[in-house]
Amino acid sequence: MIVHFSVKMDDETLKIFTGYRVEQKTARGPAKCGIRSHPDVNLDETRALAAWMTLKCAVVGLPYGGAKGAVTCNPKVMSQNELERLTRRYTTEISVFISPEGDIPAPDVGTNPQVMAWIMDTYSMNKGYSVLGVVTGKPVEIGGSKGRSEATGRGCMMTARLAAKHLGISLEGATVVVPGFGNCGAAAAKLLAEDGSRIIAVSDSKGGIYNSKGLDVGSVSRHKKETSSVVGFKNSETLTHAELLELECDVLVPSALEGDIRADNAASVKARIIVEGANGPTTTEADKILHDNGRFVVPDILANAGGVIVSYFEWVQGLQSFFWNESEVNSRLQEILDNAFQKVLEVSQREKVDMRDAAYMVAIDCLARAITLRGTFP
Ligand code: NAD
């Protein structure tokens, strides 16, 4: 679905925005996925992200299909009032798609729990009662799940641990680089640091910072909150985002946007383990180079599935109006990722393919079974 809608800006002008919502394949359950607000979004990107989502839900065994939403805008230059008006209008435009049973949005790049709260409120206003299950990633006060805000990063930390264990590497003292210090990347960095690893470099859209002795992730987050970037953090060297990708390290967690690791820089990536926090950070050509060079890649549809897994928990809790404590959320997340990682690893070893192909094989098999069981005739 492509929608064009007008929003009144703070200076009283009217601006037309374009938004998308793509439902990709719903054989296994309602469509699920985030809404991205970014100046560069387009229909093709949204379709690709929706397809990845179908595979992601299948590989970790969630009863969902894939979707994606997007609005072409730059939330960084819009006021809160403008963002609220835009979100409410976009929600109304796509309200024929979204519902707790049919299509459940969540946050992605450029959106956050506040935006999810506006979506829930707009949808609920039209229904006449609170509909918690229509969107996930909400603030805890209005039906969000404990553990959701860190879930994507926590999933990266958990799959990094599983990869390290498989390779016989200890994460204690391991060096970690996180390009893309946002929702996913900052949580991954924090949790990996708590687990004993040394975060030596992080970046955001304004640049990167490096300290071989390790960065204090909590202080970096505070610095970013105060100055809107990690750049300029005390006792750190400034590097470009591109330079970060090529640093000597044990674990690389690319957590920004698509296509960071490409044919022209893949050979320079030195990390032993690459945990794809972002969706699609590695191009197909680069993937082959990483594999040939012995890099162990935990593919995006597995590495960053923590977000949708805890979104699923949030949806279940909202439908039941029965909320879990954080340790329950985290231990269920661990269980799902342990099982999915093992399944993918087994296929990778049995079929002699890399983890990405194995993850696709597991996901497509699961999807094909669902489609076959449902049948093709009315
Ligand atoms: P975010 O907006 O919170 O963070 C993105 C980070 O990347 C920011 O620090 C931003 O400054 C940085 N960035 C953007 N463009 C950059 C560039 N050109 N160079 C360097 N840094 C750049 O978004 P997020 O929600 O953390 O999402 C990041 C990635 O993780 C996306 O690919 C998203 O699809 C994926 N993801 C997110 C979730 C989630 O729950 N938020 C779940 C699964 C996957």
Side-chain angles (χ1 to χ4, degrees), residues 36 108-109 148 152 181-184 204-205 241 255-256 277-279:
R36 181 174 286 195
D108 190 67
V109 176
R148 175 60 185 90
T152 309
F181 195 74
N183 179 343
C184 166
D204 59 30
S205 55
H241 183 73
S255 305
N279 285 308

Side-chain angles (χ1 to χ4, degrees), residues 119-308:
I119 294 174
M120 190 276 259
D121 186 65
T122 307
Y123 187 85
S124 299
M125 276 163 62
N126 289 316
K127 288 284 170 191
Y129 49 88
S130 295
V131 186
L132 300 189
V134 72
V135 67
T136 60
K138 302 181 291 297
V140 173
E141 294 85 342
I142 52 165
S145 176
K146 297 214 167 83
R148 175 60 185 90
S149 61
E150 288 190 342
T152 309
R154 187 174 293 278
C156 292
M157 179 273 283
M158 287 174 172
T159 51
R161 248 198 226 152
L162 289 163
K165 190 171 168 213
H166 163 65
L167 297 170
I169 298 171
S170 168
L171 281 189
E172 183 72 41
T175 49
V176 177
V177 171
V178 184
F181 195 74
N183 179 343
C184 166
K190 171 182 170 255
L191 295 165
L192 281 160
E194 282 173 10
D195 213 31
S197 300
R198 189 156 38 108
I199 314 302
I200 57 168
V202 302
S203 69
D204 59 30
S205 55
K206 298 197 177 125
I209 54 170
Y210 169 72
N211 183 334
S212 62
K213 296 201 180 85
L215 298 159
D216 174 0
V217 178
S219 305
V220 176
S221 286
R222 278 190 293 280
H223 176 80
K224 184 169 164 81
K225 214 171 199 174
E226 283 158 18
T227 66
S228 82
S229 174
V230 297
V231 177
F233 182 67
K234 60 179 188 282
N235 302 328
S236 73
E237 214 177 290
T238 304
L239 293 183
T240 64
H241 183 73
E243 284 169 333
L244 244 76
L245 299 164
E246 302 179 7
L247 281 174
E248 196 81 56
C249 64
D250 298 307
V251 184
L252 179 68
V253 191
S255 305
L257 298 174
E258 297 86 46
D260 264 350
I261 306 175
R262 301 171 307 271
D264 60 326
N265 64 359
S268 309
V269 171
K270 298 176 190 71
R272 176 75 180 93
I273 300 172
I274 297 152
V275 177
E276 294 183 332
N279 285 308
T282 310
T283 65
T284 311
E285 300 75 27
D287 210 24
K288 185 174 177 336
I289 298 169
L290 294 178
H291 183 63
D292 291 347
N293 288 350
R295 314 285 164 218
F296 187 87
V297 179
V298 185
D300 47 9
I301 62 168
L302 181 59
N304 69 36
V308 70

